[in-house]
């Protein structure tokens, strides 16, 4: 099931890039990010209430709160930079560079989470980096 959600995530991420590039024309990138953020927040809270998950709000640990807040700050910074890059660059070049986050995530997962890096992972990351550079040239 995770694979289906991962594929859907990729499809929606692609749509996000194209729709954002069209929508950001003539709009300040910070303002566009704020509008997008409002929509995402409303959608997320709608899903919380639709699934009845709101009862778990008080059960979130202090550690989880800290890391969820830090993750939110990282997301906000990522979105601000992404929208600015989309506004001034070509989507076909911005998006591949953004997807280098895969390689950075693998490295950080190794360093901070103790996840193993296999030869297959190294080859895949190398191909992502090489493919990114081919696409942006």
């Amino acid at each position: 099931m995770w694979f289906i959600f991962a594929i859907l995530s990729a499809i929606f991420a692609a749509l996000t890039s194209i729709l954002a590039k069209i929508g950001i024309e003539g709009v300040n990138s910070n303002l566009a990010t704020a509008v997008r953020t409002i929509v995402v927040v409303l959608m997320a809270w709608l899903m919380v209430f639709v699934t009845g998950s709101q009862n778990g709000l008080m059960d979130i640990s202090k550690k989880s709160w800290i890391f969820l807040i830090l993750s939110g700050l990282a997301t906000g910074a990522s979105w601000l930079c992404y929208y600015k890059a989309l506004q001034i660059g070509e989507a076909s070049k911005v998006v591949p560079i953004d997807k280098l986050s895969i390689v950075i995530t693998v490295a950080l997962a190794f360093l901070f989470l103790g996840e193993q890096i296999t030869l297959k992972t190294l080859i895949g990351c190398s191909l992502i980096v090489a493919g990114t550079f081919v696409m942006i040239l």
Side-chain angles (χ1 to χ4, degrees):
M1 194 66 176
W2 66 267
F3 187 76
I4 292 169
F5 282 113
I7 293 293
L8 289 170
S9 174
I11 292 167
F12 287 123
L15 283 171
T16 298
S17 301
I18 299 305
L19 296 171
K21 181 65 178 175
I22 295 167
I24 202 166
E25 189 176 327
V27 179
N28 175 280
S29 64
N30 294 327
L31 179 60
T33 302
V35 169
R36 174 188 180 193
T37 302
I38 290 169
V39 173
V40 171
V41 166
L42 291 173
M43 186 173 168
W45 279 107
L46 176 67
M47 288 306 299
V48 165
F49 285 104
V50 165
T51 61
S53 304
Q54 70 274 12
N55 298 331
L57 191 62
M58 297 302 172
D59 298 331
I60 299 174
S61 70
K62 182 179 178 181
K63 176 185 172 187
S64 290
W65 272 112
I66 290 168
F67 282 95
L68 289 171
I69 289 167
L70 290 173
S71 175
L73 291 171
T75 298
S78 172
W79 287 2
L80 288 167
C81 293
Y82 181 74
Y83 264 63
K84 186 64 175 179
L86 263 183
Q87 187 174 52
I88 60 179
E90 297 175 33
S92 61
K93 291 186 174 24
V94 170
V95 174
I97 294 170
D98 178 65
K99 296 311 172 200
L100 281 177
S101 64
I102 296 167
V103 177
I104 297 167
T105 300
V106 169
L108 293 176
F110 172 76
L111 289 172
F112 295 110
L113 303 176
E115 293 185 9
Q116 296 302 308
I117 296 180
T118 64
L119 178 61
K120 181 173 68 171
T121 304
L122 285 174
I123 291 169
C125 286
S126 298
L127 290 171
I128 290 169
V129 170
T132 298
F133 284 112
V134 168
M135 291 181 75
I136 63 173
L137 292 177

